[in-house]
Each structure stands twice: as C-alpha cells, then as structure tokens.
Amino acid sequence: MLLPTASAPPRRRGRVLQQALRDAVRSGRLATGTRLPASRELAADLGVSRGLITEAYEQLTAEGYLSSVRGSGTWVGGAVRTATATATATATATATEPVVAVPPDSPALDFRPGVPDLSLFPRAAWSAAHRRALARLPHRGLGYPDPRGLPELRSALAALLSRRRGVVADPERVVVCSGVAQALTLLGFVLSAEGQRAVAVEDPGSPEHTGLFASTGLRTVPVPLDAEGPRLDALAASGAQTALLTPAHQFPSGIACSPARRSALLAWARGVDGLLIEDDYDGDFRYDRAPVGALQGLDPDRVAYAGSVSKSLAPGLRLGWLVVPEALADAVTVRKRTLDLGHPVLDQWALADFVARGDYDRHLRRCQRAYRARRDALTSALAALCPDAEVTGIAAGLHAIVTLPEAYGPRERLLERARRAGVAVRPLSHYLSAARNGIHEADGRVRLVLGYAHLPPGDIERAVSLLVPPSAGR
C-alpha cells in the first residue's frame, strides 16, 4: 500500500492516503472487519496531521469502504466487493447458478426514497446523552410531562430551527410529536373540529397523507404542480382552507417553490382565512445551493411548521416537532394530551442534550458529506451508462428524479427487468393521484424516484448498471 510522504503537499497527501486505503480494501489486503489504527496513532506513524487521517476515514466511511462508531473505532466495512470475493462468487455462479441469482421478490438493491443510512446513527453520542439525562433528571421529572414536550427540549428546538431553517419559533408554540405523521394527525383533528372537511395536497406527493387525514375526518384534494410549485388555480378550485406543502424541496419532484409562488400561497391562505402546513421533511440536507429558508418564517400566523429526526437521525426514534400558529396552540395541546399524555421524557431529555451540546450539528455535517458522495455516485453512474438520462431534484434531499429515454420503456417492462435483476425502484406515477397517473409518461419516457442516501456508492453503481445495462436502451 503506497502511503503519503510528509514532504508532499497536504491536499495531495490526503488523496494518496484515501486511494491507498481504497485499493487495499478492494484487493482484499484489508479484509472486512479489519480494525484500523486510531487516527492519532496512524498520523504519528506516517508523520502527517491527525486531521488528514480523520478526513480520509470520514471520506471512505461516506463512500462505504469503512464503518465507524464514535468512540469505538474504525474498521473495514462489508459493502465493498473485494477482488477475491468477486472471483469466488463468479466461479460459483458460473458452475451452479445464473450470474444474477437474486430472488425476484427479495431485491438486494432498493432505491427506496426517504431512507437515511442508519449505520451512520451516532450510537456513542446518543448513548452518552441518555446517560447524562438519567444522571440529571430529578425524580419528579419521571412523572407525566407537559403534553407539548419538556421545556428544555422545546427551547433547544426553537433555537435550532431558528438558526438552521429561519423558523420563527417561540418555545411556547413548539409541540414535541411522534414524528411528522402525528403532527399532521394533531392538526387534522383540530381542523376537523373547526368544521373543515378537506385539505389540499400536492400532486405528486406522499401517498400516506390521504390515510392520515382520513383518520381525522378530512378528505384530501390533489393539487397539481408547475415549475414554480403548487398551481394556484387548482388550489383556488379545491374548496379547501388548508394546504399541505413541501415548499423547500417538494416530495418527490424536488421543486423548490419560487419566491413569487411562496408569496402567492401566503396570500391565498390569508384570503380564505386558512392555513398552510409546511412539511420540512429533508430541510437539513442541501448540497449545491444555499438552504431555502422555511416558508413559516414569512408568516408564522398562517403556517404550521412540521419536522422530525426521521431523516437526520433515525425514523425509529419517533421524535418530531410542530410549530403552530398562536391561534391553534391551545387546541393542539389539548388534542396531544388526549392522544398520548405526552412524549417519553428520557428521549426528550436526550435529544435536548444532543442538540444543546452541538452533537446534532456535528452529525448533520457527517451525513451531509456521506449523502453528497452518494448523490455524486448516482449521477456519475448514470452519466457513464445512460448519458441521455435526465436527473433532477439533486441539489437537496435524499432522492432524485431520473427520466430515462423512451428506448428504456415502457414503464412496466423496465420495472419487470429491474425486479428480475434484484433492483427495487418506484416510478413517479406511484406518487400521482389516480386521476393523473400516467400523465407524465405521455412522451414515452420513464420517470423514476431513486433514493440513494442509504446505499454505499459501490451498491449505487452496481444497481445502476443492472437498471440501465447498455443493451436495454437499444
């Protein structure tokens, strides 16, 4: 393994070290599970800075070559298929089974959108936050909590959202929820009790919203999009007083509402004495542009803002927040009390500590690097294997929209070919209302929603090669 010399420029030393580690893992010289030296120890051995070693470890972790747990070290991950393993697997497959031997109903490579890489979860830091919470929590703190959430967490979230997303967040108007799903349910019950009967939703949009609102007595009215966001004519014709939006990075199209459309949406809400619900589902991840501030910051009395740690930490934590207009705060608090008497206090204390100490920001920076590398792996693989593919919505978030040329269609044929190859993909039509299903494929092209955040770069490249092999587009 060729290692950098101390006389080389720092940038070049970093590149040389990273490439040497990649080559060692690919060749099998560093086997899966091999523990790497601590950054301080390796830096001393090589005569380079510790920061150079740390940066190399983080970059290769983001690429899938290494795995790490804070406080437990770094080791060779299992995502990379080494030369030895490849040769063995190829020989076995040739002798006994087809080369692609993945059962059709059990895809090995799933481009499911909206899924973070759970191996990046900061176990050591989260565990430490829990220990500190238990040590500091007074006995009375284990009683029934304020249904809005612990004051310490609401204050920490208010400061975080103000700083990162431009939200106008008074801690008294922050409600801790079991994710955005519960936030929407709470609002649905309150709006239904006020006599509202419908909520306008984006089309395409999340299929989950119809069921969530139906459980509260509200029907959903799909509103199509144009290049600037939800169409105002369709919104006006919906008859709704409330609209659910993803204005910073529309799901799944990736559109960011234009400034003019944001103003027009607020004007609509004021005109009908209504409400905009902002689902900021992936607001923490921006790659090639400055973050788009929350719509709520423009009119806190007309916008309810919802978010969670489901994309940033892990969906299994079931931790989220709702910043409500003052007029709805009391009704939402009462409904939260009747639903579950408040959120678990230990998790709230832990998250408050995690945010206040800066661990949340550090974790987001780590994820940002990893997800950017994976996005780049997706776009590079598509550019190499299918240069006519159109990739959009990639400046932010955890997924992209990929439009394949007509030669790769029709849609059902492509989906079946992907299934047989062991690749799970979802067409854009999956997120369209029944009335508009198929409208985007009138030109014969196939549009896919590809989530990449949870897949190592090597898996992304392999999945793309299976999805769009050169022969498929002929």
Side-chain angles (χ1 to χ4, degrees):
M1 180 166 65
L2 180 63
L3 294 175
T5 62
S7 60
R11 184 178 294 274
R12 183 174 179 275
R13 292 202 300 268
R15 290 198 299 267
V16 170
L17 175 62
Q18 291 174 25
Q19 191 56 48
L21 287 170
R22 289 189 194 96
D23 291 343
V25 174
R26 287 170 180 157
S27 67
R29 294 196 303 275
L30 284 177
T32 299
T34 300
R35 188 181 181 88
L36 299 186
S39 58
R40 190 187 305 277
E41 179 182 328
L42 184 57
D45 289 345
L46 298 179
V48 298
S49 71
R50 185 184 181 190
L52 186 145
I53 304 297
T54 301
E55 183 179 352
Y57 280 6
E58 289 180 347
Q59 178 62 31
L60 268 68
T61 298
E63 293 177 5
Y65 289 89
L66 305 179
S67 297
S68 67
V69 174
R70 186 177 175 184
S72 300
T74 303
W75 57 92
V76 178
V80 179
R81 196 167 177 83
T82 64
T84 303
T86 301
T88 302
T90 301
T92 303
T94 303
T96 63
E97 60 186 4
V99 174
V100 179
V102 179
D105 295 326
S106 303
L109 300 165
D110 191 347
F111 277 117
R112 181 181 178 185
V115 179
D117 183 353
L118 299 180
S119 72
L120 294 178
F121 182 77
R123 291 174 180 265
W126 187 254
S127 177
H130 259 277
R131 290 196 299 272
R132 287 190 294 269
L134 279 170
R136 295 201 307 261
L137 185 65
H139 296 314
R140 65 178 180 279
L142 292 171
Y144 289 109
D146 183 327
R148 295 173 300 173
L150 297 180
E152 293 82 359
L153 177 55
R154 289 188 282 116
S155 294
L157 289 174
L160 176 76
L161 298 175
S162 175
R163 172 170 52 84
R164 292 190 65 94
R165 304 296 299 125
V167 173
V168 178
D170 179 345
E172 295 301 305
R173 289 162 54 183
V174 175
V175 179
V176 178
C177 307
S178 298
V180 171
Q182 189 183 57
L184 298 182
T185 302
L186 288 169
L187 288 170
F189 278 124
V190 170
L191 296 172
S192 182
E194 290 183 349
Q196 294 195 34
R197 292 293 174 261
V199 175
V201 295
E202 296 166 326
D203 189 15
S206 172
E208 304 297 327
H209 292 154
T210 296
L212 285 174
F213 284 119
S215 70
T216 69
L218 297 174
R219 60 185 176 87
T220 52
V221 182
V223 172
L225 313 173
D226 59 25
E228 295 187 72
R231 279 176 34 194
L232 294 171
D233 59 338
L235 182 57
S238 70
Q241 287 181 270
T242 297
L244 172 61
L245 311 172
T246 51
H249 186 238
Q250 199 276 332
F251 182 83
S253 73
I255 294 171
C257 271
S258 68
R261 187 61 51 87
R262 288 157 69 96
S263 296
L265 289 167
L266 289 169
W268 170 84
R270 297 175 192 128
V272 298
D273 191 23
L275 177 73
L276 299 177
I277 304 173
E278 180 175 12
D279 178 0
D280 198 21
Y281 69 100
D282 64 0
D284 287 311
F285 301 112
R286 296 290 181 271
Y287 309 118
D288 303 323
R289 68 185 188 207
V292 178
L295 180 65
Q296 188 266 5
L298 299 176
D299 193 340
D301 292 326
R302 289 293 174 190
V303 183
Y305 176 90
S308 76
V309 302
S310 293
K311 305 296 187 292
S312 55
L313 283 172
L317 294 180
R318 307 314 304 143
L319 280 166
W321 45 83
L322 176 63
V323 184
V324 293
E326 185 176 2
L328 298 177
D330 289 344
V332 168
T333 300
V334 170
R335 180 59 66 170
K336 171 67 174 172
R337 179 183 289 112
T338 60
L339 278 181
D340 58 18
L341 297 179
H343 207 74
V345 292
L346 283 178
D347 290 341
Q348 292 190 66
W349 273 94
L351 182 58
D353 178 273
F354 195 75
V355 170
R357 291 173 61 90
D359 289 333
Y360 189 68
D361 287 302
R362 280 187 285 275
H363 175 69
L364 289 177
R365 289 194 294 270
R366 181 187 182 201
C367 291
Q368 182 98 348
R369 290 191 294 269
Y371 297 158
R372 183 196 296 269
R374 294 166 193 198
R375 181 207 61 173
D376 292 347
L378 175 65
T379 56
S380 297
L382 286 165
L385 295 169
C386 186
D388 293 330
E390 178 184 339
V391 187
T392 57
I394 59 172
L398 308 181
H399 72 275
I401 300 292
V402 176
T403 302
L404 298 175
E406 185 176 357
Y408 286 90
R411 178 183 68 193
E412 295 307 321
R413 187 184 75 173
L414 181 139
L415 295 178
E416 176 62 18
R417 185 172 67 247
R419 187 182 70 85
R420 290 183 179 277
V423 180
V425 294
R426 289 147 188 85
L428 180 60
S429 58
H430 177 73
Y431 303 93
L432 285 165
S433 64
R436 302 181 66 239
N437 200 315
I439 192 170
H440 283 284
E441 292 167 10
D443 59 2
R445 298 192 294 171
V446 182
R447 291 165 175 81
L448 303 174
V449 183
L450 301 185
Y452 53 78
H454 59 296
L455 296 172
D459 282 359
I460 291 172
E461 293 162 1
R462 185 159 63 96
V464 171
S465 70
L466 293 170
L467 182 64
V468 289
S471 60
R474 294 174 185 168

